[in-house]
Amino acid sequence: MNRELLETTIRATSSDAIARNLHVFDTIPSTNQTLWELLAQGAEPGTIVIAQTQTSGRGQWGRQWVSPVGGLYLSQAIAPKLPVSHSFHLTLATAWGIASQFRNCGIPVGIKWPNDLVINNRKLGGILTETKIQQGKITKAVVGVGINWANPVPETGINLQSWQTESGLVSIDSLEMLVVITLRGIHSGWQRYKNEGVNDLLPAYLELLTSMGQKLTINHNSGIVVGVTPTGELRVQNSERSPSNSQTTPEEIYCPPGTISLGYNKSSD
Ligand code: BTN
């Protein structure tokens, strides 16, 4: 599909607020980067950037996000006015919001800690939230979402079009519809967080967390994932603890995002 058609269709199927703030490009380095440039030129919170391909898509932990035609590459600006210590709440709200919108369409999307979107333990998409901080407050944030729609994916990935064909459930029938559902997800997650707070949202996020109960090894200690703290650390129950070492061995280990990877199975069919 060409860029004009994509843009026209999104505008025709979206609210006025989306249509007013929408920028659609053929190829740019990164939708997050372009959105930061637009914000520096005075663009408002709510501004959306979409690209058909990215040449330097940014992934988590400094990785590249390979972005061929057929995928969804979208960024939206928000003005959170949150303390820096709450930055994980942006991730929580967005991941929960998007996964829930998919589930409302009958697509069983889960969340792999901290913010991968998964189906059957294969990566469907990822979220990269970048922030600007002034005087200890997050004044601006760019929420960047990449979702595999019809693009080729690695062995550990899955694209939505193939999943729908294989499962016989086609509830999202175009890239434009995927855009609308993703934006609805960002909006609903952020609204729920603003209205109800983290104590309401965290249990909802945990319900969708596929990592719950996963066994793993940290520093030669085995443990089981039992949750996530409100600041985003993975809570791992220490299986090495026993009555004889309980004084010296903690009951739980807390892993900040980026310090461990939960990995993907290559043969999860
Ligand atoms: C991850 O590593 O899981 C997060 C990937 C986020 C990729 C998206 S694609 C749209 C937006 N623009 C970027 O450069 N990155 C994000």
Side-chain angles (χ1 to χ4, degrees):
M1 172 178 290
N2 68 33
R3 188 197 59 76
E4 280 99 319
L5 189 53
L6 179 65
E7 181 165 349
T8 312
T9 317
I10 297 169
R11 283 182 191 285
T13 51
S14 312
S15 65
D16 287 352
I18 291 177
R20 217 179 27 249
N21 289 314
L22 183 67
H23 302 258
V24 183
F25 297 88
D26 281 322
T27 302
I28 50 178
S30 150
T31 54
N32 274 26
Q33 183 188 317
T34 299
L35 184 47
W36 281 120
E37 287 161 9
L38 290 171
L39 289 169
Q41 291 158 22
E44 295 173 3
T47 300
I48 299 154
V49 172
I50 294 172
Q52 293 203 290
T53 55
Q54 304 181 115
T55 53
S56 307
R58 302 175 184 165
Q60 295 177 93
W61 331 123
R63 296 192 196 120
Q64 199 198 346
W65 186 257
V66 179
S67 311
V69 174
L72 169 75
Y73 312 107
L74 173 155
S75 301
Q76 184 166 35
I78 50 179
K81 298 193 188 73
L82 285 177
V84 180
S85 57
H86 291 186
S87 38
F88 177 68
H89 299 177
L90 292 168
T91 299
L92 186 77
T94 313
W96 173 81
I98 297 175
S100 300
Q101 289 300 325
F102 277 119
R103 295 174 83 89
N104 291 346
C105 299
I107 303 169
V109 172
I111 302 168
K112 182 163 174 292
W113 176 80
N115 54 356
D116 282 0
L117 301 167
V118 296
I119 301 181
N120 298 341
N121 195 37
R122 288 177 184 262
K123 185 155 172 166
L124 174 72
I127 302 165
L128 176 69
T129 304
E130 298 174 330
T131 52
K132 282 270 180 300
I133 291 157
Q134 276 176 327
Q135 294 169 341
K137 283 240 149 67
I138 304 170
T139 51
K140 288 179 186 168
V142 164
V143 176
V145 185
I147 295 179
N148 299 319
W149 167 243
N151 51 298
V153 291
E155 209 185 332
T156 52
I158 191 162
N159 86 33
L160 190 56
Q161 224 177 34
S162 314
W163 181 84
Q164 291 193 127
T165 306
E166 277 161 30
S167 65
L169 176 94
V170 182
S171 50
I172 298 181
D173 63 9
S174 63
L175 184 58
E176 301 79 59
M177 189 171 173
L178 181 61
V179 167
V180 173
I181 296 224
T182 304
L183 290 172
R184 211 179 277 161
I186 298 172
H187 181 76
S188 63
W190 183 232
Q191 289 305 313
R192 180 165 176 179
Y193 172 68
K194 278 205 298 191
N195 294 337
E196 311 293 338
V198 70
N199 291 336
D200 165 75
L201 199 53
L202 186 58
Y205 168 93
L206 292 177
E207 268 180 38
L208 304 187
L209 199 71
T210 58
S211 326
M212 286 292 258
Q214 187 174 334
K215 293 191 178 128
L216 43 81
T217 306
I218 306 166
N219 299 333
H220 309 292
N221 284 342
S222 51
I224 297 173
V225 175
V226 290
V228 174
T229 68
T231 44
E233 289 99 357
L234 192 69
R235 291 176 46 211
V236 181
Q237 190 180 68
N238 194 343
S239 312
E240 310 283 327
R241 197 165 190 262
S242 65
S244 63
N245 68 11
S246 63
Q247 297 296 314
T248 51
T249 310
E251 199 174 333
E252 280 189 12
I253 303 165
Y254 299 97
C255 307
T259 56
I260 58 160
S261 164
L262 297 180
Y264 282 93
N265 292 338
K266 289 203 169 158
S267 54
S268 57
D269 280 326

mmCIF file of all heavy atoms in Angstrom, residues 30-32 54 56-60 65 73-75 116 123 126-128 144-146, ligand 1:
data_model
loop_
_atom_site.group_PDB
_atom_site.id
_atom_site.type_symbol
_atom_site.label_atom_id
_atom_site.label_comp_id
_atom_site.label_asym_id
_atom_site.label_seq_id
_atom_site.Cartn_x
_atom_site.Cartn_y
_atom_site.Cartn_z
ATOM 1 N N SER A 30 13.691 6.659 12.118
ATOM 2 C CA SER A 30 12.973 6.093 13.271
ATOM 3 C C SER A 30 11.775 7.004 13.567
ATOM 4 O O SER A 30 11.920 8.235 13.613
ATOM 5 C CB SER A 30 13.925 6.055 14.472
ATOM 6 O OG SER A 30 13.238 6.186 15.682
ATOM 7 N N THR A 31 10.612 6.405 13.796
ATOM 8 C CA THR A 31 9.428 7.231 14.119
ATOM 9 C C THR A 31 9.629 7.942 15.456
ATOM 10 O O THR A 31 9.159 9.059 15.645
ATOM 11 C CB THR A 31 8.148 6.373 14.161
ATOM 12 O OG1 THR A 31 8.337 5.283 15.066
ATOM 13 C CG2 THR A 31 7.773 5.844 12.791
ATOM 14 N N ASN A 32 10.330 7.293 16.398
ATOM 15 C CA ASN A 32 10.605 7.975 17.677
ATOM 16 C C ASN A 32 11.448 9.220 17.429
ATOM 17 O O ASN A 32 11.161 10.299 17.937
ATOM 18 C CB ASN A 32 11.358 7.032 18.636
ATOM 19 C CG ASN A 32 10.416 6.140 19.443
ATOM 20 O OD1 ASN A 32 9.309 5.851 19.001
ATOM 21 N ND2 ASN A 32 10.854 5.702 20.603
ATOM 22 N N GLN A 54 11.501 1.806 8.492
ATOM 23 C CA GLN A 54 12.492 2.610 9.221
ATOM 24 C C GLN A 54 13.883 2.079 8.848
ATOM 25 O O GLN A 54 14.078 0.870 8.719
ATOM 26 C CB GLN A 54 12.323 2.467 10.724
ATOM 27 C CG GLN A 54 10.936 2.808 11.262
ATOM 28 C CD GLN A 54 10.861 2.668 12.776
ATOM 29 O OE1 GLN A 54 10.671 3.631 13.480
ATOM 30 N NE2 GLN A 54 11.015 1.454 13.267
ATOM 31 N N SER A 56 16.682 3.052 10.758
ATOM 32 C CA SER A 56 17.422 2.890 12.020
ATOM 33 C C SER A 56 16.434 2.762 13.171
ATOM 34 O O SER A 56 16.517 3.513 14.151
ATOM 35 C CB SER A 56 18.315 4.099 12.301
ATOM 36 O OG SER A 56 19.147 4.379 11.227
ATOM 37 N N GLY A 57 15.496 1.832 13.022
ATOM 38 C CA GLY A 57 14.497 1.640 14.080
ATOM 39 C C GLY A 57 15.180 1.314 15.396
ATOM 40 O O GLY A 57 16.142 0.555 15.436
ATOM 41 N N ARG A 58 14.697 1.919 16.453
ATOM 42 C CA ARG A 58 15.336 1.734 17.764
ATOM 43 C C ARG A 58 14.582 0.690 18.575
ATOM 44 O O ARG A 58 13.361 0.756 18.707
ATOM 45 C CB ARG A 58 15.300 3.036 18.561
ATOM 46 C CG ARG A 58 15.984 4.194 17.865
ATOM 47 C CD ARG A 58 15.771 5.438 18.718
ATOM 48 N NE ARG A 58 16.303 6.629 18.085
ATOM 49 C CZ ARG A 58 16.003 7.856 18.464
ATOM 50 N NH1 ARG A 58 15.178 8.075 19.470
ATOM 51 N NH2 ARG A 58 16.533 8.891 17.844
ATOM 52 N N GLY A 59 15.334 -0.265 19.133
ATOM 53 C CA GLY A 59 14.748 -1.256 20.015
ATOM 54 C C GLY A 59 15.177 -1.005 21.455
ATOM 55 O O GLY A 59 15.906 -0.049 21.745
ATOM 56 N N GLN A 60 14.723 -1.874 22.343
ATOM 57 C CA GLN A 60 15.108 -1.740 23.753
ATOM 58 C C GLN A 60 16.591 -2.025 23.930
ATOM 59 O O GLN A 60 17.177 -2.791 23.177
ATOM 60 C CB GLN A 60 14.339 -2.756 24.587
ATOM 61 C CG GLN A 60 12.852 -2.539 24.613
ATOM 62 C CD GLN A 60 12.186 -3.641 25.409
ATOM 63 O OE1 GLN A 60 11.962 -3.506 26.600
ATOM 64 N NE2 GLN A 60 11.897 -4.748 24.744
ATOM 65 N N TRP A 65 15.845 -2.110 15.751
ATOM 66 C CA TRP A 65 14.556 -2.754 15.449
ATOM 67 C C TRP A 65 14.454 -2.829 13.923
ATOM 68 O O TRP A 65 14.243 -1.832 13.247
ATOM 69 C CB TRP A 65 13.399 -1.928 16.024
ATOM 70 C CG TRP A 65 12.056 -2.583 15.880
ATOM 71 C CD1 TRP A 65 11.090 -2.271 14.962
ATOM 72 C CD2 TRP A 65 11.516 -3.650 16.680
ATOM 73 N NE1 TRP A 65 9.991 -3.074 15.139
ATOM 74 C CE2 TRP A 65 10.232 -3.930 16.187
ATOM 75 C CE3 TRP A 65 12.006 -4.391 17.754
ATOM 76 C CZ2 TRP A 65 9.413 -4.921 16.741
ATOM 77 C CZ3 TRP A 65 11.193 -5.376 18.294
ATOM 78 C CH2 TRP A 65 9.915 -5.630 17.789
ATOM 79 N N TYR A 73 4.984 0.634 12.408
ATOM 80 C CA TYR A 73 5.993 1.426 13.118
ATOM 81 C C TYR A 73 5.325 2.745 13.495
ATOM 82 O O TYR A 73 5.056 3.574 12.612
ATOM 83 C CB TYR A 73 7.234 1.649 12.230
ATOM 84 C CG TYR A 73 7.678 0.348 11.592
ATOM 85 C CD1 TYR A 73 7.480 0.103 10.238
ATOM 86 C CD2 TYR A 73 8.220 -0.673 12.378
ATOM 87 C CE1 TYR A 73 7.821 -1.116 9.662
ATOM 88 C CE2 TYR A 73 8.563 -1.901 11.818
ATOM 89 C CZ TYR A 73 8.356 -2.104 10.468
ATOM 90 O OH TYR A 73 8.681 -3.320 9.909
ATOM 91 N N LEU A 74 5.029 2.899 14.753
ATOM 92 C CA LEU A 74 4.189 4.018 15.184
ATOM 93 C C LEU A 74 4.735 4.615 16.475
ATOM 94 O O LEU A 74 5.173 3.882 17.361
ATOM 95 C CB LEU A 74 2.785 3.455 15.409
ATOM 96 C CG LEU A 74 1.679 4.306 16.016
ATOM 97 C CD1 LEU A 74 0.330 3.771 15.566
ATOM 98 C CD2 LEU A 74 1.727 4.354 17.531
ATOM 99 N N SER A 75 4.690 5.943 16.570
ATOM 100 C CA SER A 75 5.068 6.605 17.825
ATOM 101 C C SER A 75 4.024 7.653 18.157
ATOM 102 O O SER A 75 3.500 8.324 17.260
ATOM 103 C CB SER A 75 6.427 7.303 17.697
ATOM 104 O OG SER A 75 7.432 6.363 17.358
ATOM 105 N N ASP A 116 7.211 -6.740 26.037
ATOM 106 C CA ASP A 116 7.054 -7.400 24.736
ATOM 107 C C ASP A 116 5.609 -7.864 24.615
ATOM 108 O O ASP A 116 5.012 -8.343 25.588
ATOM 109 C CB ASP A 116 7.944 -8.653 24.646
ATOM 110 C CG ASP A 116 9.405 -8.321 24.376
ATOM 111 O OD1 ASP A 116 9.736 -7.128 24.254
ATOM 112 O OD2 ASP A 116 10.213 -9.272 24.282
ATOM 113 N N LYS A 123 7.397 -13.438 19.698
ATOM 114 C CA LYS A 123 7.296 -11.977 19.803
ATOM 115 C C LYS A 123 6.467 -11.398 18.663
ATOM 116 O O LYS A 123 6.828 -11.503 17.497
ATOM 117 C CB LYS A 123 8.698 -11.354 19.831
ATOM 118 C CG LYS A 123 8.680 -9.847 20.064
ATOM 119 C CD LYS A 123 9.969 -9.360 20.683
ATOM 120 C CE LYS A 123 10.017 -7.848 20.739
ATOM 121 N NZ LYS A 123 11.064 -7.332 21.603
ATOM 122 N N GLY A 126 6.971 -4.925 20.093
ATOM 123 C CA GLY A 126 7.707 -4.367 21.227
ATOM 124 C C GLY A 126 7.389 -2.890 21.373
ATOM 125 O O GLY A 126 6.872 -2.251 20.445
ATOM 126 N N ILE A 127 7.681 -2.387 22.553
ATOM 127 C CA ILE A 127 7.376 -0.992 22.873
ATOM 128 C C ILE A 127 8.651 -0.342 23.397
ATOM 129 O O ILE A 127 9.337 -0.910 24.251
ATOM 130 C CB ILE A 127 6.281 -0.924 23.965
ATOM 131 C CG1 ILE A 127 5.015 -1.643 23.497
ATOM 132 C CG2 ILE A 127 5.966 0.526 24.339
ATOM 133 C CD1 ILE A 127 4.026 -1.939 24.604
ATOM 134 N N LEU A 128 8.964 0.821 22.858
ATOM 135 C CA LEU A 128 10.128 1.567 23.356
ATOM 136 C C LEU A 128 9.648 2.953 23.775
ATOM 137 O O LEU A 128 9.259 3.757 22.932
ATOM 138 C CB LEU A 128 11.193 1.698 22.260
ATOM 139 C CG LEU A 128 12.402 2.534 22.665
ATOM 140 C CD1 LEU A 128 13.235 1.812 23.714
ATOM 141 C CD2 LEU A 128 13.278 2.866 21.460
ATOM 142 N N GLY A 144 6.893 4.409 21.466
ATOM 143 C CA GLY A 144 7.108 3.842 20.126
ATOM 144 C C GLY A 144 6.705 2.375 20.118
ATOM 145 O O GLY A 144 7.126 1.608 20.979
ATOM 146 N N VAL A 145 5.880 2.021 19.147
ATOM 147 C CA VAL A 145 5.369 0.645 19.090
ATOM 148 C C VAL A 145 5.693 0.031 17.727
ATOM 149 O O VAL A 145 5.401 0.625 16.679
ATOM 150 C CB VAL A 145 3.831 0.625 19.290
ATOM 151 C CG1 VAL A 145 3.320 -0.812 19.352
ATOM 152 C CG2 VAL A 145 3.432 1.386 20.539
ATOM 153 N N GLY A 146 6.302 -1.141 17.751
ATOM 154 C CA GLY A 146 6.532 -1.900 16.519
ATOM 155 C C GLY A 146 5.741 -3.197 16.615
ATOM 156 O O GLY A 146 5.860 -3.915 17.616
HETATM 157 C C1 BTN B 1 11.750 -3.688 21.504
HETATM 158 O O1 BTN B 1 12.971 -3.760 21.383
HETATM 159 O O2 BTN B 1 11.084 -4.674 21.826
HETATM 160 C C2 BTN B 1 11.038 -2.387 21.286
HETATM 161 C C3 BTN B 1 10.930 -2.083 19.829
HETATM 162 C C4 BTN B 1 10.207 -0.780 19.518
HETATM 163 C C5 BTN B 1 10.219 -0.497 18.040
HETATM 164 C C6 BTN B 1 9.375 0.674 17.681
HETATM 165 S S1 BTN B 1 9.053 0.761 15.954
HETATM 166 C C7 BTN B 1 8.350 2.324 16.160
HETATM 167 C C8 BTN B 1 9.204 3.073 17.168
HETATM 168 N N1 BTN B 1 10.304 3.746 16.508
HETATM 169 C C9 BTN B 1 11.472 3.234 16.842
HETATM 170 O O3 BTN B 1 12.576 3.600 16.396
HETATM 171 N N2 BTN B 1 11.308 2.214 17.711
HETATM 172 C C10 BTN B 1 9.915 2.044 18.053
#
